[in-house]
Amino acid sequence: MHLPGSKSISNRVLLLAGLCAGTTTLHGLLASDDTQVMLDALRALGCTIERSGDSARITGLAGRVAVPQAKLFLGNAGTAMRPLTAALAVLSATQGGEFELSGVARMHERPIGDLVDALRGLGCRIDELGQPGYPPLRVHGGTLDTTRPVRVRGDVSSQFLTALLLALPLAASESAVVVEVEGELISKPYIEITLNLLARFGIVIEREGWQRFTLAPRAAGGGYRSPGEIAVEGDASSASYFIALGAIAASDGRALRIEGVGLDSIQGDIRFVDAARAMGAQVSGGPGWLDVQRGRWPLRAIELDCNHIPDAAMTLAVMALFAEGTTRLTNIASWRVKETDRIAAMAAELRKLGAGVVEGADFIEITPPQTWHAAAISTYDDHRMAMCFSLASLNAITGAGPGLPARILDPRCVGKTFPDYFETLFSVAQADAAAIPVIAVDGPSASGKGTLAAALASALGYHYLDSGALYRAAALAARNAGVADDDRAAIARLAAMLDLRFERGATLLGGRDVTDALREEAVGVLASKISAWPEVRGALVALQLSFRRLPGLVADGRDMGTVVFKDAKLKVFLTASAAERAARRHKQLLAKGISANIESLRADLEARDARDRGRSVAPLEPAQDALLLDNSGLTIEASVEQVLAWWQERCPFR
Ligand code: C5P
């Protein structure tokens, strides 16, 4: 699997490129919620930004205030809120300007008081617009005094020190500036990333232990020098889920290859590798890659001070479910001020799975479940909760019981740092086809099954199969190839070789967009005819089965529940009167500007129903265990709601 870019590096480099003179091209940039708010903020402040793929060309501000006023919305991105607060406070104190920084409700509960205090100590003017010590903030003017050390607390979040170090080059340049850290500095590896990246932008900072940092005198405008081009490493915290996956599930002697970070990474979370090894993972690596497989099994419980890997340590808590004994993770007080109170959230959700959990102010202890429970996991709008708990779905591997599903609520929260997380997971994880849930929606023409099935798939994040499109595509392929309408063998051969893909709402046949061609009347008529032939039906079975992929499938057609997916967990048979269906189709055609006659549409539908019902193979009929839904009087939303309610009843979640 290939990792998305590092969030910590992306947002630091974006800010540095935005502050320095000239143009910097960033490669391998993370595209996620947190980097998007940083990009939006830089644009609002006057930077020029061109995106292409995972690259961005940024022309920076050369240490100048380009826009005298701005209101910046920074979502829930601590890596944007803290450094931008510092940079804008220093800029407005030296050059004027007034800037407001706000975020989502949770951002307004995440502390920033230590940074505000440090910046005020330096002479910046900052107003807290909500609660003291929390965003939203307004920064406006002030007079800097850099002759005295800037003092900042380091024991709540290391991002306060990072923010100061990134911004201080903007303060008076002819003298050295000293920063002193009060209290024990946490998450030190993140400060190393900051220093490393500042050095890439020409800023040298001398460090005495973790207590005192000295910034040498610099050129005006901050003295940041663009490196021209800079590559962002893959995200080491994101790698932790796949390292864990390899340690738990890569058991057949083949390693899971992770591309994007290697053992030489500048990110502190690469040290997660040591922790995973201590639990039993076998990890090897080189520049930009890691290979992971299961070593010891079951995993070994550990006791670990996790101060150096606060984010990746969450993954250890979930690996602990697969360990022998009790795992104890300590020195993790910072979990309480992250996207959510992660100690409380982790404890609550691990318990749902059956684990024994003891939590304290700054530690958590996890004992694996004796009996696993199927559970719907709350994610608290925290991307790492969603990613960590996806690993609980591997519970069958323990052999402790039958495989139980885990449901991740609001999985889209992974967009904060890893928008394609689940797609990536499913691309390297395999499940028995029989274990992949299918909802079959069958019914006659124009019963609305396509609309219903597509809406269900979208609500559940499942794949969608419009099996009618396969018959239509076979018909179209036959017409394109000039095959006679009654040449059964030739049409069946074509059906068996269909090169059909569904991409972003379009249907491609042999690479050509045939979305509209498939809906043509003549194609529909031929599809109806050939779909009665056993040779053609047989030829399309394998293709239909191939749609059964993680995390699940909603398939619509005529025989989804009776033939193709006999073991579907839920079968729905739609009925609607021919009159109602004719009226719907009539409306659809009119909307497209095609005139039609309701009576002949109805006659046509009834003839097609009769053909579908009367054929000897896979006649249209409800499966014995299908639930009938007459949607004649129902809106689409009501039908979707009804089927989702039936689905919920079949899932083992409360
Ligand atoms: O649903 P749609 O109108 O797109 O289907 C095209 C043709 O394929 C229909 O005439 C229908 O009889 C046939 N079909 C089928 N079995 C399916 C899906 C469609 O026989 N599972």
Side-chain angles (χ1 to χ4, degrees), residues 445 449 466-469 471-472 519 524 527-528 531 537 544 556-560 608 612 615:
S445 292
K449 57 191 184 316
D466 165 10
S467 62
Y471 289 93
R472 289 171 180 270
R519 301 316 305 180
S528 171
S531 65
R537 301 202 73 85
Q544 295 176 79
D556 84 60
R558 306 293 191 288
D559 61 344
M560 297 297 97
R608 202 172 281 199
D612 283 345
R615 68 190 173 209

Side-chain angles (χ1 to χ4, degrees), residues 157 167 177 361 565:
S157 166
V177 184
F565 300 108

